[in-house]
Amino acid sequence: NVALTIATLGVYSPWAKVRRAQYFHRNLRVAGAGFDFDANPWAILRGRALAIALLVGVQLASRTSAAVSAAAGLLFLALLPWLVTASLRFRLYHTLHRGLRFSFHGSVAEAFRVFLAWPLAAALSLGLLLPAAIQRRQRFVYAGSAFRGTRFESSVALGAIFRLCFGASWIALGSAAVAGWATSSWLSAAGIGEVAADAAGAALVAPLLGGGAPFLAGPVV
């Protein structure tokens, strides 16, 4: 799949996605029966072509004027909740178990709150609301998913997500501290003293920020 995707400059990627999904679905069994995935690669290709055209349009618009760039960015944000719900609906509709399809019933309004409003609140709170934003997103995806009319649910506790974010922040900051220390040691050995001192200072301060900065775990999570 990777080789064919590279050889075709990405055109084969929808077929690779379907084949990969079929492999994992058909080898995942519940009550003795496997799942299946019957999406049409051509539909995925058309969707990706539309997404690329949209991104190219936004990029070109950003080069004309600041007003047009801002309008294009707002348009993309407005379309994001619809794109998310459409993607989830497409993926679940083409997922089958014993010949029966899954479905997704989440609304665009809910997606707006989960994928735009809550992340914005998390950013404005300097990451303190990030665990809550992750929890709301999980609940939206699972509670909106159904099998033969029966909805799923997510019971992940907020405290568990917070501990995950907190631990991830320490991992990220610890890695940065080690990298900073290694860089400062190399620069010091090379005789670049002032830069080495700055790097060493960053390496010492970074772990101290970890205790109060679980929001830095966002990209890691």
Side-chain angles (χ1 to χ4, degrees), residues 107-159:
S107 67
V108 175
E110 291 175 306
F112 177 85
R113 290 192 295 269
V114 170
F115 289 95
L116 291 180
W118 271 102
L120 177 61
L124 293 177
S125 66
L126 300 180
L128 295 178
L129 291 178
L130 176 62
I134 294 175
Q135 184 189 50
R136 297 305 191 280
R137 184 183 62 192
Q138 292 292 99
R139 287 180 176 178
F140 169 76
V141 173
Y142 286 103
S145 303
F147 180 65
R148 294 193 65 187
T150 301
R151 297 285 187 97
F152 292 88
E153 64 179 16
S154 174
S155 59
V156 178
L158 184 61

Side-chain angles (χ1 to χ4, degrees), residues 5-199:
T5 300
I6 294 174
T8 59
L9 300 180
V11 175
Y12 184 77
S13 61
W15 282 264
K17 178 179 180 178
V18 171
R19 290 179 61 185
R20 183 172 59 250
Q22 289 176 342
Y23 170 78
F24 285 108
H25 280 61
R26 291 170 181 175
N27 286 282
L28 176 65
R29 296 185 170 272
V30 173
F35 293 79
D36 203 355
F37 188 76
D38 67 349
N40 186 349
W42 286 104
I44 299 175
L45 182 62
R46 288 194 296 269
R48 290 186 176 180
L50 178 62
I52 292 174
L54 180 62
L55 292 175
V56 171
V58 171
Q59 184 66 24
L60 293 177
S62 65
R63 298 186 178 184
T64 57
S65 68
V68 174
S69 176
L74 290 175
L75 177 61
F76 179 78
L77 288 178
L79 290 175
L80 181 61
W82 177 82
L83 292 172
V84 169
T85 53
S87 175
L88 289 170
R89 192 171 292 112
F90 177 87
R91 186 177 66 187
L92 285 173
Y93 176 80
H94 291 286
T95 300
L96 301 91
H97 182 66
R98 296 182 182 272
L100 302 174
R101 296 185 183 275
F102 289 78
S103 58
F104 185 76
H105 304 276
S107 67
V108 175
E110 291 175 306
F112 177 85
R113 290 192 295 269
V114 170
F115 289 95
L116 291 180
W118 271 102
L120 177 61
L124 293 177
S125 66
L126 300 180
L128 295 178
L129 291 178
L130 176 62
I134 294 175
Q135 184 189 50
R136 297 305 191 280
R137 184 183 62 192
Q138 292 292 99
R139 287 180 176 178
F140 169 76
V141 173
Y142 286 103
S145 303
F147 180 65
R148 294 193 65 187
T150 301
R151 297 285 187 97
F152 292 88
E153 64 179 16
S154 174
S155 59
V156 178
L158 184 61
I161 300 177
F162 184 85
R163 288 191 295 272
L164 175 65
C165 293
F166 187 81
S169 69
W170 273 103
I171 293 173
L173 291 171
S175 300
V178 172
W181 174 80
T183 302
S184 67
S185 300
W186 179 81
L187 292 175
S188 179
I192 312 176
E194 185 175 348
V195 178
D198 292 339

